[in-house]
Amino acid sequence: MNELFGSSRVARGLVSSMAWLCYIFLVVPSLIVIPISFGNPGQIEFPPRQFSLELYRQFFTDAAWWGSTVQSLIVACLTTLATLVLAVPAAYALARSRLPGRGGLQGLFMMPMLVPVIVLGLGLYLQYSNWGLLDTTAGLVLAHVMLTTPYIMVSVMSGLQHSDVALETVASIMGASRLRIFFRVVLPQLKISIAVGALFAFLMSLDEVVVAYFLTGTDTMTLPVKMYSSIRWELTPVLAAVSTLLTVLSLMIALGIIAMQGKTEASK
Amino acid sequence: MTASSTPAMVELQGVAKRYGEVNALHRVDLSIAKGEFVTLLGPSGSGKTTLLNLIAGMITPSSGRIVIDGRDATTLPTNRRGLGMVFQNYALMPHMTVFENIAFPLEVRRLSKAEIKRKVGEALELIQLGHVANRKPRELSGGQQQRISLARCIVYNPALILMDEPLGALDKKLREQMQLEIKRLHAELGITMLYVTHDQDEALTMSDRIVLMNGGRIEQQGTPDTLYFRPETVFSAEFIGSSNLIPGTVEIGADGAYALNTALGRFAAPAPERAIKAGERAVLLVRPENMALADAATPASVAGHIEDSILLGGVVRHFVRCADGSSLIIQELNQPGRSGAHRGEAVRAAWQPQHGRLLPPAPAG
């Protein structure tokens, strides 16, 4: 008995150290930019031999960097809003109605998840050049809405599965119209799934580089595209500061998502 | 029917519901009077929930007409029928407080803030739960939640309150309390109620009229007394109360007196309400409480031996195995110093012939 316990403890130790190794392997390359960002402003250097905030100053004062950051935030916000307006009612309709061809419609909404992003980017590039949508914020937002819709829909539909249809029935019997039921009964119960989906969409749009690379030009360049081209053409250490800021923002949003998902479980 | 004197609140005329080849509900005619408490009773799959959903407008009938409060509601959408409903799982809005839940139907009716506040207060007073107004439903017990859900119906005075097994999720003691509470509210407010249950005791306790459903049809309807003492079919007799059923062949004497020839003997019985011809198969029903243990042979008695005796508090129930292998239930009042019946003891199960009731045989299958 004792021996068994001992060996299982060894095994458990082995497993957890393996897990930690994998984890470190995954995380360290992302974290390595953090010390670099506080280091030498002249060149990329690890480990850094001096400490300064010069790279952050450069980032916030350089119009090209700051401009693409603002552009990215605008695109992410518009994308999130537009996706919510589109995907929440669509998810509700698909989950509750007995429309013919419901499965097909649902598949259609999920499709952007399956198509390789680069294919989507190329296709949109060819199509947009006919429509004059290249290098426009509207065009990029439209493309991002396509990418984020499936994620919000999945989040909302799983939220709908946890909400009791009887609540909508009883509201209807009490005289409420479909519109009132949607806003007063359905939406409040989906608050958390909608917020989770929205944060996810925001993050996806903020991070997205492939489609944006195809569709944006000098006027509409987003931060990830700017970072990508700067890696190719100049390789400035400002990149480390930008990466650090993006990582922190992503981490905060991800923590927000986790906190909210925890809240739904606690209320069950 | 009791509905003849007062105007009907709900009237179903030849209403039927088919799903493809399946008849969920055969043509049903049913009238519910203003202020009446009607119970739909039946096993699952008997069509009672279909009937409820048809009245609520959640499904539309394949044929027939539904009239609610004097107007044709056959195709009227649910939210314009002016009904109320109480569900088994309460269906309270989890994101609203108790106050907001009860205020919701008033808000839908665009009442002023002051009026909403007054009416919700009154409704909470009526169910004696004024102190929980600001809590969320999940902080309350099941019984409290169901009372809130009742108050939410009462507050806007609907033409009819539908109740779909509202007490099914509560334990026995609470259920009995709530039965009385619902009865009290019904009596005080004079609201018309249609109550669905599969629990015969609940139906007997609460109803003005019971509508017994079986296989998508109305098997029999009437007051609890009528259904208990004058069942018209074997199904009614078996579903409500327990019963001893002895099958046999009808014999009619020269004086018109009925008797049934059975494997256990020939028993005299009162004339049936619906004529049964001599020579036809029939079933003799005797309620267990109308049978007693007897020592000597009487005109209506059967020999057997006690298989088991169980004590149910105020009453004792004996299970008697007869010579032909069938078994009878005898229920007697329990008395101190009662001479106990022993397992295996030879006894006679006796009854007064006028307590027997001849019924048409159960349809095959």
Side-chain angles (χ1 to χ4, degrees):
Chain A
M1 192 64 201
N2 247 338
E3 209 169 298
L4 257 176
F5 183 68
S7 74
S8 86
R9 206 157 61 172
V10 170
R12 230 184 299 153
L14 210 67
V15 168
S16 78
S17 46
M18 281 293 284
W20 274 106
L21 270 175
C22 289
Y23 190 62
I24 288 164
F25 176 75
L26 288 172
V27 168
V28 163
S30 323
L31 296 185
I32 217 163
V33 298
I34 296 173
I36 295 175
S37 75
F38 291 109
N40 188 345
Q43 65 181 95
I44 291 178
E45 186 182 67
F46 185 83
R49 269 176 293 180
Q50 61 184 98
F51 175 84
S52 83
L53 291 171
E54 175 58 23
L55 290 171
Y56 287 91
R57 198 193 59 77
Q58 279 179 28
F59 168 73
F60 283 109
T61 50
D62 183 335
W65 279 113
W66 188 234
S68 60
T69 306
V70 170
Q71 169 68 2
S72 266
L73 290 173
I74 289 172
V75 169
C77 285
L78 289 176
T79 299
T80 306
L81 271 178
T83 311
L84 284 181
V85 170
L86 179 76
V88 175
Y92 179 58
L94 283 180
R96 288 287 190 262
S97 74
R98 266 164 262 148
L99 280 173
R102 205 174 70 113
L105 270 175
Q106 198 165 332
L108 196 69
F109 276 110
M110 295 302 148
M111 202 104 89
M113 245 156 102
L114 307 173
V115 177
V117 187
I118 192 131
V119 174
L120 197 72
L122 183 64
L124 285 169
Y125 175 76
L126 296 173
Q127 202 53 249
Y128 276 14
S129 60
N130 292 333
W131 292 344
L133 279 172
L134 281 180
D135 199 10
T136 62
T137 302
L140 183 60
V141 168
L142 271 179
H144 279 184
V145 167
M146 279 176 70
L147 286 172
T148 51
T149 295
Y151 293 93
I152 292 199
M153 283 193 61
V154 165
S155 178
V156 171
M157 281 172 105
S158 92
L160 276 168
Q161 259 161 20
H162 289 296
S163 117
D164 189 354
V165 191
L167 297 177
E168 292 160 50
T169 309
V170 83
S172 172
I173 288 173
M174 289 191 287
S177 62
R178 293 220 64 96
L179 207 63
R180 187 188 289 268
I181 293 173
F182 182 72
F183 283 107
R184 289 281 282 130
V185 180
V186 178
L187 273 192
Q189 293 187 78
L190 292 179
K191 257 190 329 216
I192 289 172
S193 357
I194 289 174
V196 168
L199 282 181
F200 213 78
F202 185 84
L203 202 57
M204 279 183 72
S205 168
L206 198 68
D207 256 0
E208 202 283 321
V209 62
V210 179
V211 171
Y213 193 74
F214 273 99
L215 302 183
T216 57
T218 43
D219 291 342
T220 55
M221 188 177 283
T222 59
L223 188 61
V225 176
K226 164 83 178 145
M227 287 167 76
Y228 184 64
S229 21
S230 119
I231 289 169
R232 296 191 54 189
W233 305 115
E234 40 183 333
L235 204 62
T236 148
V238 174
L239 269 175
V242 181
S243 305
T244 304
L245 287 173
L246 260 185
T247 307
V248 168
L249 185 63
S250 302
L251 194 70
M252 269 160 40
I253 291 177
L255 286 176
I257 292 174
I258 291 167
M260 276 193 280
Q261 278 170 339
K263 209 170 137 195
T264 31
E265 256 140 58
S267 70
K268 286 284 136 62
Chain B
M1 233 185 286
T2 49
S4 52
S5 53
T6 34
M9 192 51 112
V10 177
E11 218 169 330
L12 305 184
Q13 301 162 350
V15 170
K17 180 67 187 176
R18 272 184 309 277
Y19 292 102
E21 294 290 291
V22 184
N23 269 311
L25 194 69
H26 297 270
R27 285 178 55 89
V28 160
D29 294 290
L30 178 69
S31 172
I32 300 170
K34 216 179 187 103
E36 201 180 6
F37 195 121
V38 174
T39 299
L40 294 177
L41 176 66
S44 48
S46 60
K48 54 191 199 303
T49 303
T50 306
L51 198 55
L52 194 79
N53 287 340
L54 281 166
I55 294 174
M58 287 180 266
I59 50 179
T60 44
S62 309
S63 62
R65 220 162 79 94
I66 300 171
V67 179
I68 298 174
D69 206 6
R71 60 180 180 159
D72 189 331
T74 313
T75 57
L76 207 62
T78 299
N79 62 341
R80 288 172 50 206
R81 294 194 178 200
L83 306 174
M85 186 153 174
V86 176
F87 286 78
Q88 179 172 0
N89 66 357
Y90 325 127
L92 295 170
M93 311 293 168
H95 56 286
M96 296 184 189
T97 63
V98 165
F99 183 94
E100 289 165 339
N101 262 289
I102 301 175
F104 184 78
L106 302 176
E107 195 186 296
V108 169
R109 283 163 181 72
R110 300 180 198 288
L111 264 61
S112 71
K113 275 229 159 68
E115 206 162 353
I116 290 178
K117 193 156 186 241
R118 183 178 61 77
K119 287 204 164 191
V120 174
E122 281 172 12
L124 279 169
E125 207 55 45
L126 203 60
I127 54 161
Q128 289 144 20
L129 280 178
H131 55 287
V132 301
N134 294 319
R135 293 212 213 145
K136 289 281 175 69
R138 73 167 158 305
E139 297 167 47
L140 305 178
S141 71
Q144 286 175 322
Q145 289 191 51
Q146 200 54 297
R147 276 150 76 195
I148 301 296
S149 134
L150 257 173
R152 183 175 61 172
C153 274
I154 288 164
V155 78
Y156 63 100
N157 197 25
L160 170 75
I161 296 184
L162 305 167
M163 300 202 184
D164 192 1
E165 311 230 358
L167 309 181
L170 305 178
D171 64 49
K172 187 169 179 288
K173 204 172 158 207
L174 204 55
R175 204 157 61 219
E176 283 167 1
Q177 245 174 14
M178 285 294 294
Q179 287 173 2
L180 295 179
E181 174 117 10
I182 293 173
K183 263 195 98 158
R184 173 179 73 87
L185 290 171
H186 174 250
E188 274 178 28
L189 305 169
I191 305 175
T192 317
M193 290 189 178
L194 183 62
Y195 193 98
V196 168
T197 183
H198 63 261
D199 181 339
Q200 45 138 327
D201 292 329
E202 209 163 277
L204 290 172
T205 310
M206 305 183 70
S207 323
D208 293 330
R209 179 153 56 105
I210 297 174
V211 176
L212 181 62
M213 308 275 304
N214 179 26
R217 294 174 207 277
I218 295 180
E219 182 84 13
Q220 188 178 353
Q221 52 176 313
T223 61
D225 261 14
T226 308
L227 259 85
Y228 189 77
F229 290 112
R230 288 160 51 205
E232 283 164 7
T233 61
V234 170
F235 179 85
S236 300
E238 283 192 305
F239 201 83
I240 296 177
S242 41
S243 45
N244 295 306
L245 297 164
I246 309 167
T249 313
V250 174
E251 209 182 280
I252 308 178
D255 54 351
Y258 277 77
L260 197 70
N261 269 315
T262 75
L264 298 171
R266 182 179 174 282
F267 304 113
E273 280 176 28
R274 278 195 223 157
I276 303 176
K277 290 199 200 76
E280 278 187 341
R281 304 285 302 164
V283 176
L284 179 66
L285 160 71
V286 185
R287 293 287 188 197
E289 65 271 24
N290 292 333
M291 278 196 175
L293 291 178
D295 302 323
T298 59
S301 70
V302 173
H305 62 270
I306 300 251
E307 201 164 58
D308 208 350
S309 276
I310 54 173
L311 180 65
L312 298 170
V315 295
V316 200
R317 201 170 272 185
H318 309 290
F319 295 87
V320 175
R321 180 71 67 185
C322 307
D324 70 339
S326 64
S327 123
L328 296 174
I329 305 169
I330 299 175
Q331 186 167 302
E332 290 185 317
L333 287 180
N334 198 2
Q335 267 146 11
R338 163 186 64 98
S339 61
H342 302 288
R343 195 164 297 179
E345 195 180 326
V347 290
R348 295 193 75 85
W351 67 93
Q352 307 282 332
Q354 71 267 25
H355 288 153
R357 189 173 165 81
L358 285 175
L359 302 173

